[in-house]
Amino acid sequence: GDSVTQMEGPVTLSEEAFLTINCTYTATGYPSLFWYVQYPGEGLQLLLKATKADDKGSNKGFEATYRKETTSFHLEKGSVQVSDSAVYFCALGRPQGGSEKLVFGKGMKLTVNP
Amino acid sequence: GAVVSQHPSWVICKSGTSVKIECRSLDFQATTMFWYRQFPKQSLMLMATSNEGSKATYEQGVEKDKFLINHASLTLSTLTVTSAHPEDSSFYICSGRRMMSYEQYFGPGTRLTVT
């Protein structure tokens, strides 16, 4: 079945450091890929997504490219800020009866220090 | 927009009792709602999908008689954990989806501790 594997943290970085969070998936066909972010005390929020191979999703300085050849969707940001401290989830989605059924990775907690 | 709330945020109950968790879409109509369960350091696992006014569809391995889901209105879904046991202790998260949209909007979660 479908599965998502992502880097496990926690990870602590200094402000302005470069961030990469690895995510690989196992799935047949062409699922959609997502990154969700969960800030302390809040629900998961969609950060970015890509729906087909070679698509690049981007938002708030974060980027991820759908790489079918390596079954990966790594999240990157060139310069993190303290406000980026959160838990990041990689997810795979498939349409299910008109909605998107999501399969999540375990999440990675990022702390950015000033 | 697209805010989902959950109540309570944390609940402790005794083994054998039942507990109800509410999920509300505050500023949109959620035609579909999802319930997830998350164990420490584990990913979110989908438990069930519910469409307003219909019976929930449960994922394989989830006991529908234990985890009762009701989606009676476009803004409210409830999850009732019946005859709770310590192994039901977990973090429960709901999400809602608008009609004609694939995006899910997540609540902040409810931590259930069964003693």
Side-chain angles (χ1 to χ4, degrees):
Chain A
D2 296 343
S3 66
V4 174
T5 302
Q6 64 175 107
M7 283 178 60
E8 294 185 36
V11 169
T12 301
L13 296 175
S14 297
E15 205 165 23
E16 299 184 1
F18 183 84
L19 170 70
T20 298
I21 306 177
N22 290 338
C23 172
T24 57
Y25 68 90
T26 301
T28 56
Y30 300 90
S32 299
L33 299 174
F34 305 84
W35 277 100
Y36 282 84
V37 58
Q38 184 176 29
Y39 298 105
E42 300 182 15
L44 278 74
Q45 302 173 24
L46 179 63
L47 180 59
L48 52 85
K49 70 177 182 181
T51 57
K52 60 183 187 295
D54 299 325
D55 264 3
K56 177 186 283 188
S58 61
N59 186 26
K60 299 181 180 180
F62 291 89
E63 293 184 341
T65 300
Y66 189 145
R67 301 285 190 199
K68 186 153 181 69
E69 64 275 15
T70 54
T71 62
S72 65
F73 193 54
H74 304 322
L75 182 69
E76 296 183 337
K77 186 173 185 180
S79 176
V80 294
Q81 305 300 312
V82 173
S83 56
D84 294 326
S85 297
V87 181
Y88 292 83
F89 292 88
C90 184
L92 175 160
R94 290 195 185 277
Q96 170 189 280
S99 67
E100 193 87 63
K101 177 177 178 177
L102 297 172
V103 175
F104 286 89
K106 293 184 179 181
M108 196 208 78
K109 183 176 182 180
L110 169 68
T111 301
V112 180
N113 292 324
Chain B
V3 178
V4 175
S5 70
Q6 286 185 237
H7 178 79
S9 57
W10 191 11
V11 58
I12 301 173
C13 71
K14 293 187 176 181
S15 188
T17 62
S18 296
V19 61
K20 180 183 288 188
I21 301 170
E22 292 186 348
C23 175
R24 292 182 184 273
S25 56
L26 299 184
D27 53 3
F28 71 100
Q29 293 185 329
T31 51
T32 303
M33 284 186 165
F34 303 83
W35 285 94
Y36 296 84
R37 183 173 179 177
Q38 184 181 28
F39 292 101
K41 299 186 179 181
Q42 299 292 322
S43 61
L44 282 74
M45 301 297 295
L46 179 65
M47 299 174 65
T49 304
S50 71
N51 292 299
E52 184 263 338
S54 302
K55 289 185 177 180
T57 301
Y58 291 81
E59 294 297 301
Q60 192 172 8
V62 177
E63 299 175 61
K64 62 180 180 181
D65 294 331
K66 181 169 190 59
F67 298 99
L68 301 180
I69 292 172
N70 184 283
H71 190 172
S73 78
L74 288 171
T75 59
L76 174 65
S77 176
T78 60
L79 167 67
T80 301
V81 182
T82 63
S83 187
H85 291 283
E87 57 265 30
D88 299 325
S89 298
S90 193
F91 197 58
Y92 293 88
I93 300 172
C94 72
S95 70
R97 182 191 70 89
R98 289 188 180 100
M99 184 181 291
M100 304 301 290
S101 170
Y102 284 122
E103 186 168 349
Q104 296 180 32
Y105 302 96
F106 288 81
T110 296
R111 183 164 301 284
L112 169 63
T113 301
V114 184
T115 60

